[in-house]
Amino acid sequence: MCGIIGIASNKPVSINIINSLKKLEYRGYDSAGLATLDNDIINEKKCSGRVEELEKILFKTPSNGNVGIGHVRWATHGIPNVVNAHPHSSEQVSVVHNGIIENSDELKNELESKGIKFKSQTDTEVVTLLITESLKENKPLNSVFKTLKKLKGSFALGIIFKKFPNIIIGARRGSPLAVGYSKKENYIGSDSYALKSMTNKISYLDDGELCVLTKDEVSFFDKNLKKVNKKILTMSENDVSAEKGEYKHFMFKEIVEQPDTVNNCISEYVDSLKKNINILNFPIEPQKINKIVLIGCGTAYNSCLTAKYWFEELTSIDIEIDIASEFRYRKLKFNPNNLYIFVSQSGETADTAAALDLCKKNNVKTCSIVNVIESTIARNSDWVLPIHAGIEIGVASTKAFLGQLTVLYILCLKLAFVRKDIDEITYIKNISNLKKIPDAIKKCLKNENEVQLMAKEFISAKGSMFLGRGSSFPIALEGALKLKELSYLHAEGYPAGEMKHGPLALIEEGLPVIVIAPKDKYFEKTISNMQEVIARGGKILFITDNKKESLNENIRFGFRVPHIDNLLSPILLTLPLQMLAYHVALLKNCDVDKPRNLAKSVTVE
Ligand code: F6R
């Protein structure tokens, strides 16, 4: 949710800290700061707003120092302003923090009762002040260790010390922390992407671990402070490459990359020669799976909801879908023959990770469908199916959604076939239909100008509705989610058949209503629901794969996606909705890659 970086070097580090913070901005962007150890003092610089503001401050008053930490914030405790921006420093230490200290109020009261004063409203400052207190009697590593024992919550920390100017201590509980290695320089960072321009040699802290780095070496310790060894991974160019290139926004670049996303999944999972899907080693023998439970948040939840229709159509497996933040608190009846599947782009979403932990505690089999394979969720699940979408930077998820859908579809086909729910002809036909999707996506993207015209209808709209039935219903939800997060316009996704039970009251003259109506078994029903909206003055924007349906005077705009087959229509129907949200946001001058109040990886509850 926030991004942290730390560099120990033999040369000044502030410029590299700024460069890394720019890469971490997708994790939070309401304030930024850094602290370096500069001639035996902690030199702290902070600002509200973006990293470029911090860069301006540094330009006017440069920070020296060969050891330093930096932070981009997504506010949890305290409004986004300079005082609450990280790092939080005392005379002796400076701390950057990602995550939440759940017992901060209690700890603050204890410290205040000893006469210790706080400057900010953050939960982080308790960490600074607890370590400062502990340093009166302990060395840095022990001070951090003893402080960690008092903290509840999920967090990653980076800490520097005035009296020990060569070291940085990193600690991880719940939130991710990577370590990078270079010549005469070592790093900590919230992810490997932040370290990308400096190194491709990476290790990851496991939960509960600490690390101490100097410019020459890195030592790791487990949660009992016992030294541990770490594997050093070499990242390939693909793992770390994410530049905007010719595109104005990451989001649009990621929309355009979607044919590759689907192709990557196909080449990873489909054996073209044998016309078979290479998914093996199921954690439960496929015949014995009683039920599949799909769990995710936001866009990932929408992909689960879409997959429900595929599993119901093709398999005999019972299927249940849940939002992770609900699942984790429900009173569930766990069954060892159920397979629990967690879907997450980042693999770090706190609610999804907690839902997974709950399953593990109840000894049931878990699978994760993730983009980041070294993530917490991937590492904690019994079985991982990566989506191979490459790093996604735009806060609004696009290519990860299509990657999730593709992997879920492939998994569904494989299970349906090995359980003999579908015959070989259907299996092979469905695989070959999937292979047509990348070219069909390219065709949709070519018609971007049609979506640009549609987008104009939203400039002065007070709200909007997205309607669909069957597997188009979750796509309506996804279209509405994209529009509201990017353009701050109220948007409701609804099952078209449900309108008459209440939401029809929202329809008034000129309200944009996006009707998603592929030529499937619901088509005529959806058209009837659309007529009810037209009769009440709604302005229809019609999205279909039906070649025959001609647009009439009641339909303001239409967008036709190629028809491959009904099962796969949700993938293609998503394309115009992603482009629509993008173009409405542009017309409304919204920050497409960094929408207000949001951040990419939601590592808080
Ligand atoms: C919306 C969006 C969010 C995420 C959600 C889950 O565009 O990006 O709704 O889908 O926060 O994130 P992951 O997939 O990383 O678990």
Side-chain angles (χ1 to χ4, degrees):
M1 217 57 210
C2 300
I4 68 181
I5 174 78
I7 308 179
S9 178
N10 63 350
K11 54 185 192 289
V13 291
S14 59
I15 292 179
N16 278 342
I17 289 179
I18 291 285
N19 289 338
S20 299
L21 289 182
K22 285 183 183 164
K23 299 219 161 64
L24 287 169
E25 256 192 320
Y26 76 97
R27 300 177 69 91
Y29 34 85
D30 57 41
S31 50
L34 62 75
T36 56
L37 289 164
D38 188 355
N39 276 326
D40 292 338
I41 58 150
I42 293 171
N43 185 351
E44 185 191 272
K45 300 223 163 81
K46 316 203 274 199
C47 68
S48 65
R50 303 284 164 94
V51 175
E52 53 185 56
E53 294 306 315
L54 187 65
E55 196 171 21
K56 283 183 201 154
I57 296 173
L58 270 188
F59 192 68
K60 281 194 203 135
T61 52
S63 284
N64 290 318
N66 297 354
V67 169
I69 49 179
H71 189 267
V72 282
R73 180 167 186 245
W74 182 84
T76 57
H77 293 58
I79 58 166
N81 62 16
V82 179
V83 179
N84 290 332
H86 298 214
H88 289 281
S89 310
S90 66
E91 181 68 20
Q92 298 300 330
V93 294
S94 186
V95 175
V96 285
H97 162 219
N98 167 30
I100 286 197
I101 313 295
E102 285 169 1
N103 57 340
S104 63
D105 285 349
E106 197 183 302
L107 295 168
K108 192 172 177 180
N109 289 342
E110 275 172 33
L111 288 164
E112 281 179 334
S113 69
K114 292 185 194 162
I116 294 167
K117 297 243 174 319
F118 281 74
K119 292 182 270 188
S120 75
Q121 290 110 40
T122 62
D123 51 345
T124 310
E125 205 177 349
V126 297
V127 183
T128 307
L129 296 174
L130 284 171
I131 297 174
T132 307
E133 283 298 287
S134 187
L135 274 172
K136 291 178 185 162
E137 290 163 10
N138 297 292
K139 292 264 172 58
L141 184 58
N142 259 312
S143 303
V144 174
F145 180 65
K146 291 192 167 165
T147 299
L148 290 179
K149 289 198 152 175
K150 297 185 178 159
L151 305 181
K152 289 191 185 144
S154 133
F155 45 81
L157 298 166
I159 309 145
I160 55 172
F161 305 82
K162 176 179 154 178
K163 292 207 178 128
F164 301 86
N166 300 324
I167 64 168
I168 301 178
I169 295 186
R172 170 189 175 162
R173 192 189 298 161
S175 306
L177 196 64
V179 169
Y181 311 83
S182 188
K183 210 167 160 212
K184 295 276 172 220
E185 204 165 86
N186 291 310
Y187 321 91
I188 52 170
S190 288
D191 59 27
S192 54
Y193 175 58
L195 311 180
K196 174 200 161 191
S197 57
M198 302 180 288
T199 183
N200 65 347
K201 303 269 182 252
I202 297 286
S203 300
Y204 290 94
L205 261 72
D206 285 320
D207 217 31
E209 288 184 340
L210 295 102
C211 64
V212 180
L213 46 138
T214 67
K215 66 180 172 36
D216 299 309
E217 61 176 351
V218 186
S219 316
F220 294 92
F221 302 87
D222 69 10
K223 58 175 185 265
N224 301 315
L225 221 52
K226 213 174 119 218
K227 251 190 161 182
V228 286
N229 292 324
K230 279 271 144 192
K231 243 206 225 148
I232 301 181
L233 313 167
T234 303
M235 291 185 295
S236 70
E237 194 41 38
N238 281 350
D239 291 333
V240 291
S241 79
E243 303 298 339
K244 259 188 272 182
E246 68 200 87
Y247 298 96
K248 258 175 89 184
H249 300 103
F250 277 110
M251 183 190 174
F252 197 72
K253 174 178 177 260
E254 288 157 5
I255 289 176
V256 172
E257 281 171 357
Q258 293 181 111
D260 295 337
T261 309
V262 177
N263 261 330
N264 290 347
C265 292
I266 295 174
S267 39
E268 189 63 26
Y269 293 107
V270 178
D271 182 335
S272 289
L273 275 180
K274 293 192 188 135
K275 298 196 168 77
N276 196 1
I277 290 171
N278 283 329
I279 296 187
L280 307 164
N281 304 326
F282 283 88
I284 304 176
E285 204 186 308
Q287 307 292 352
K288 295 202 173 133
I289 298 176
N290 168 58
K291 184 198 266 187
I292 287 183
V293 186
L294 291 171
I295 302 142
C297 300
T299 287
Y301 169 73
N302 291 340
S303 71
C304 297
L305 213 51
T306 312
K308 178 175 86 164
Y309 293 87
W310 291 330
F311 279 92
E312 280 176 355
E313 186 68 31
L314 296 177
T315 75
S316 53
I317 306 172
D318 202 7
I319 178 110
E320 193 178 307
I321 317 296
D322 213 342
I323 292 174
S325 57
E326 293 295 318
F327 179 90
R328 64 185 287 191
Y329 292 113
R330 282 176 55 207
K331 199 174 162 202
L332 294 155
K333 287 152 197 78
F334 288 97
N335 180 332
N337 289 331
N338 290 356
L339 178 59
Y340 295 81
I341 303 183
F342 296 84
V343 181
S344 171
Q345 187 285 128
S346 62
E348 299 295 347
T349 300
D351 285 319
T352 314
L356 169 63
D357 281 349
L358 181 66
C359 287
K360 285 175 72 85
K361 283 193 189 114
N362 284 280
N363 295 320
V364 287
K365 294 292 180 203
T366 57
C367 164
S368 59
I369 295 182
V370 291
N371 196 24
V372 183
I373 45 173
E374 61 276 6
S375 61
T376 309
I377 291 173
R379 284 189 293 161
N380 288 352
S381 42
D382 296 315
W383 197 49
V384 187
L385 298 173
I387 64 170
H388 300 289
I391 188 161
E392 189 180 65
I393 300 290
V395 166
S397 192
T398 51
K399 64 176 180 174
F401 180 64
L402 255 58
Q404 289 158 0
L405 289 182
T406 309
V407 172
L408 283 162
Y409 182 77
I410 289 173
L411 175 66
C412 174
L413 281 186
K414 179 72 182 185
L415 278 170
F417 183 56
V418 294
R419 286 169 63 100
K420 301 197 171 42
D421 293 329
I422 55 173
D423 60 22
E424 195 170 3
I425 296 173
T426 315
Y427 180 58
I428 291 174
K429 187 178 107 241
N430 285 336
I431 294 176
S432 74
N433 282 342
L434 181 66
K435 289 186 183 163
K436 296 179 193 154
I437 287 286
D439 281 341
I441 296 177
K442 285 184 194 155
K443 279 192 192 139
C444 292
L445 294 173
K446 278 195 188 132
N447 295 333
E448 188 197 348
N449 54 342
E450 290 175 27
V451 179
Q452 274 172 306
L453 288 178
M454 268 192 195
K456 291 190 182 148
E457 301 292 316
F458 290 79
I459 299 177
S460 52
K462 282 197 275 167
S464 60
M465 298 214 65
F466 289 68
L467 307 180
R469 293 181 85 122
S471 62
S472 301
F473 161 52
I475 302 307
L477 288 180
E478 177 60 7
L481 178 62
K482 287 286 98 88
L483 188 69
K484 63 187 138 195
E485 72 176 320
L486 288 173
S487 65
Y488 322 142
L489 182 72
H490 183 74
E492 289 231 33
Y494 238 84
E498 230 349 69
M499 286 295 283
K500 53 191 175 295
H501 300 293
L504 208 52
L506 291 171
I507 305 295
E508 56 184 24
E509 198 60 40
L511 184 90
V513 179
I514 295 86
V515 175
I516 305 157
K519 182 68 187 143
D520 56 15
K521 65 179 178 194
Y522 305 95
F523 185 73
E524 278 75 25
K525 306 255 173 245
T526 310
I527 297 299
S528 303
N529 299 138
M530 181 177 82
Q531 297 303 347
E532 290 153 12
V533 171
I534 291 172
R536 286 152 184 91
K539 185 161 61 181
I540 302 294
L541 311 170
F542 190 69
I543 297 182
T544 188
D545 63 358
N546 188 352
K547 286 199 197 101
K548 291 200 193 109
E549 180 72 5
S550 60
L551 303 179
N552 61 46
E553 69 278 12
N554 290 320
I555 297 179
R556 191 58 172 256
F557 284 104
F559 189 98
R560 225 181 285 277
V561 304
H563 174 82
I564 290 178
D565 104 298
N566 288 343
L567 281 172
L568 288 165
S569 68
I571 297 187
L572 297 177
L573 293 164
T574 303
L575 271 297
L577 302 180
Q578 293 174 336
M579 291 192 281
L580 179 69
Y582 174 77
H583 282 291
V584 177
L586 283 189
L587 290 172
K588 293 182 125 229
N589 277 327
C590 299
D591 188 336
V592 174
D593 283 335
K594 300 188 189 82
R596 74 180 179 204
N597 304 340
L598 300 179
K600 183 101 187 126
S601 173
V602 188
T603 54
V604 294
E605 193 177 339

